[in-house]
Amino acid sequence: MNTKVHSLKHDDVASAPKARLSNLHSGHGMDRQIERRVPKWARAAAIAAAIVLTIVIGLMVLMPEGGRTLRVQGDRVVVSTVTRGQFEDFIPVRGRVTPLKTIYLDAIEGGRVEEVLVEDGTAVEAGQLIVKLSNTALQLDVIAREAEVTEQLNNLNTLELQLEQNRLNHRRTLVQVDYDIKRLGRLVERREQLMAKGHVSQQDLDDVQDELNYREQLKAVTLEAQKTDERLQNAQMVQLRESADTLKRNLVVARRNLDALNVRAPVAGKLTALNADVGQSLSRGERIGQIDDPENFKLTALIDEFYLPRVDIGQTARVEVAGRAYELEIVKIYPQVRNGQFEVDLVFGGDTPSGIRRGQTLQTKLSLGDPSPALLIPNGAFYQDTGGNWVFVIASDGSAAVRRTVKLGRRNARFIEVLDGLETGEKVITSPYTSYLEMQRLDLQD
């Protein structure tokens, strides 16, 4: 066996040079080497690349905006048509029926509840006694003020008596001085005549003359003292009268507070929210209850803070009660915003609906502007997801929906105003976009 193997190898080696030489002369070996430089797998790869490129170009043609695509069942979305019509600028507002006027009952002075004369929910008349309170400290304070007023009035009377006595004393003194002056004047005249005849001496005349001069000076001083006393005492009288008047006014207030312990109805109406039990101690200013207008009502409504710049006093609203429409008007806007809402008061412009009760809620339509022609799409949940910045527009063949940037304006409960980006007759998806926020295209399937 070994001999045969070696012989075969020898024959192959001997024949190989002849074959190579034959191929070189014929050129056949050179053609086979060129074919081996382009492998078959390279051709397959080129064909596959061309196919992929064709598919990508096709997708770009079908989706000019690019982005992600999602297949959606057509019955899972709501499709609406863009139309042209009258846009009514209103918002739905739910109002709560409250009394038109409410008078609150507060304890002006705190005290202990001695008696409750009226039950909660009862109709009361103006001035009717509702609750009796007692306050020992207030009663003692009134007694003390009365004593102060009495003392001040006594002081005033005493001062007036002193002033009158001083006036009489000064007058008595002036009468006496005038009498002395007149008497001394006559005496001087007689002494001068007697001295001229030599019957009296000069000394006697001088003594009488000095006495006369003294009486005249005493009169001047007495007059000046009288004026000064009158001026000072009059000023003191004014102060005492003012003080007495002040004490009287304080006494009136104290008596009024004491009388306020008897809580009475200030107006006629319906007593509600009464909070007073016999034996209960109420502090000063504590709310006891309230009296509501039993016949006239208003609506108190909460509105989203988004509409705060557009809501103003005087705007009208409409409500239907028992098949009849009633007009209302905003009369008060509360600027405080709580939980994203602010409060307004609406008053009925004409008749008040019959049969409504306090606490009842009514659905109203608040007008924010006059109707105007506009391009409209139905209001839907998509607005909360996009903020009105873009929508999915249905293609003409209905097979897909493409994301498009739009500009939307005012909206009400039914429609949204289209400012730019859509045309009449186009169809858009108005159902929620929660699952499509990152998508650029929706393929709609039957």
Side-chain angles (χ1 to χ4, degrees):
M1 291 179 65
N2 294 336
T3 304
K4 292 180 179 182
V5 172
H6 286 294
S7 63
L8 289 173
K9 292 181 178 180
H10 184 269
D11 294 339
D12 293 336
V13 172
S15 61
K18 293 180 180 181
R20 290 193 189 102
L21 186 61
S22 175
N23 291 334
L24 290 173
H25 287 289
S26 63
H28 178 73
M30 186 176 297
D31 293 339
R32 290 178 63 188
Q33 290 177 357
I34 292 172
E35 291 177 357
R36 289 177 182 175
R37 290 179 181 177
V38 184
K40 294 181 179 180
W41 61 266
R43 294 181 180 178
I47 294 172
I51 294 174
V52 171
L53 181 61
T54 303
I55 293 174
V56 171
I57 293 174
L59 291 175
M60 292 179 64
V61 171
L62 292 176
M63 293 190 301
E65 297 184 6
R68 302 175 61 185
T69 303
L70 180 67
R71 292 181 179 180
V72 179
Q73 295 294 331
D75 57 358
R76 295 182 57 187
V77 297
V78 177
V79 178
S80 303
T81 305
V82 181
T83 59
R84 183 169 294 278
Q86 291 287 329
F87 180 80
E88 296 181 1
D89 195 6
F90 73 91
I91 56 175
V93 175
R94 195 159 191 84
R96 180 169 50 88
V97 178
T98 58
L100 181 61
K101 294 181 180 179
T102 298
I103 306 298
Y104 295 101
L105 301 177
D106 297 336
I108 300 177
E109 293 290 340
R112 181 178 180 274
V113 179
E114 297 293 339
E115 189 177 1
V116 179
L117 304 175
V118 181
E119 295 294 334
D120 191 15
T122 306
V124 295
E125 299 294 334
Q128 182 176 348
L129 184 61
I130 298 175
V131 177
K132 286 184 177 182
L133 304 177
S134 62
N135 189 325
T136 304
L138 184 60
Q139 293 172 347
L140 293 176
D141 180 65
V142 172
I143 294 173
R145 292 181 183 275
E146 289 177 346
E148 290 179 357
V149 172
T150 302
E151 181 181 1
Q152 195 70 11
L153 292 177
N154 291 334
N155 294 335
L156 182 62
N157 294 332
T158 301
L159 184 60
E160 289 180 346
L161 180 59
Q162 292 177 357
L163 179 60
E164 185 65 22
Q165 289 176 351
N166 291 336
R167 187 180 66 81
L168 293 175
N169 291 334
H170 286 301
R171 186 175 181 182
R172 186 182 298 111
T173 302
L174 289 174
V175 170
Q176 182 65 40
V177 170
D178 288 339
Y179 168 73
D180 292 340
I181 292 175
K182 184 182 292 186
R183 180 179 58 80
L184 292 172
R186 293 175 181 174
L187 185 58
V188 168
E189 291 179 0
R190 288 195 298 268
R191 291 288 176 90
E192 288 178 350
Q193 294 176 1
L194 291 174
M195 189 185 70
K197 297 178 180 181
H199 296 295
V200 296
S201 63
Q202 183 66 37
Q203 181 66 34
D204 293 336
L205 179 60
D206 293 339
D207 291 340
V208 176
Q209 186 64 47
D210 292 340
E211 183 70 19
L212 177 61
N213 294 336
Y214 167 74
R215 295 299 178 181
E216 290 177 350
Q217 293 177 2
L218 181 61
K219 179 181 179 180
V221 172
T222 302
L223 290 173
E224 184 177 357
Q226 184 182 16
K227 292 180 181 179
T228 302
D229 289 345
E230 288 181 355
R231 183 176 71 253
L232 295 177
Q233 291 181 355
N234 286 334
Q236 190 174 3
M237 286 286 295
V238 172
Q239 293 178 355
L240 287 175
R241 287 194 179 97
E242 292 178 352
S243 178
D245 293 339
T246 302
L247 290 175
K248 289 179 180 179
R249 288 193 296 268
N250 294 339
L251 179 60
V252 170
V253 174
R255 287 175 175 172
R256 187 182 299 122
N257 293 338
L258 184 62
D259 184 65
L261 293 176
N262 297 324
V263 182
R264 301 179 183 274
V267 295
K270 186 178 182 180
L271 177 65
T272 59
L274 182 62
N275 181 24
D277 297 321
V278 176
Q280 179 182 357
S281 295
L282 301 177
S283 58
R284 177 181 297 180
E286 185 173 349
R287 181 66 47 82
I288 298 177
Q290 63 187 47
I291 297 178
D292 300 330
D293 189 341
E295 298 179 355
N296 300 312
F297 297 93
K298 65 180 180 180
L299 294 186
T300 301
L302 295 176
I303 303 177
D304 191 277
E305 63 179 339
F306 174 80
Y307 298 101
L308 183 58
R310 301 187 60 194
V311 176
D312 199 0
I313 294 176
Q315 289 178 334
T316 59
R318 175 172 293 186
V319 62
E320 289 189 4
V321 179
R324 179 182 174 184
Y326 296 89
E327 296 291 334
L328 299 103
E329 181 180 351
I330 295 180
V331 296
K332 187 174 183 179
I333 300 175
Y334 299 87
Q336 297 84 4
V337 177
R338 298 184 180 90
N339 299 324
Q341 295 177 316
F342 65 98
E343 188 176 3
V344 298
D345 287 344
L346 300 100
V347 176
F348 289 95
D351 298 334
T352 301
S354 59
I356 61 175
R357 295 184 177 182
R358 177 183 177 184
Q360 180 181 353
T361 57
L362 300 176
Q363 187 69 31
T364 67
K365 293 170 59 176
L366 177 61
S367 299
L368 301 178
D370 296 331
S372 59
L375 200 62
L376 307 174
I377 58 173
N379 196 356
F382 77 97
Y383 191 91
Q384 283 72 25
D385 297 326
T386 68
N389 297 319
W390 57 273
V391 295
F392 280 113
V393 182
I394 305 297
S396 58
D397 58 359
S399 62
V402 180
R403 180 170 176 161
R404 183 189 298 178
T405 300
V406 297
K407 184 178 181 181
L408 304 182
R410 299 170 296 175
R411 62 184 179 127
N412 56 32
R414 296 181 57 194
F415 294 102
I416 302 176
E417 182 184 25
V418 179
L419 301 179
D420 191 20
L422 294 174
E423 299 294 337
T424 304
E426 288 188 309
K427 298 181 180 297
V428 298
I429 297 177
T430 55
S431 53
Y433 288 2
T434 307
S435 303
Y436 320 137
L437 296 179
E438 303 298 329
M439 302 300 163
Q440 296 291 333
R441 175 188 174 93
L442 302 178
D443 288 338
L444 304 180
Q445 300 179 349
D446 294 335

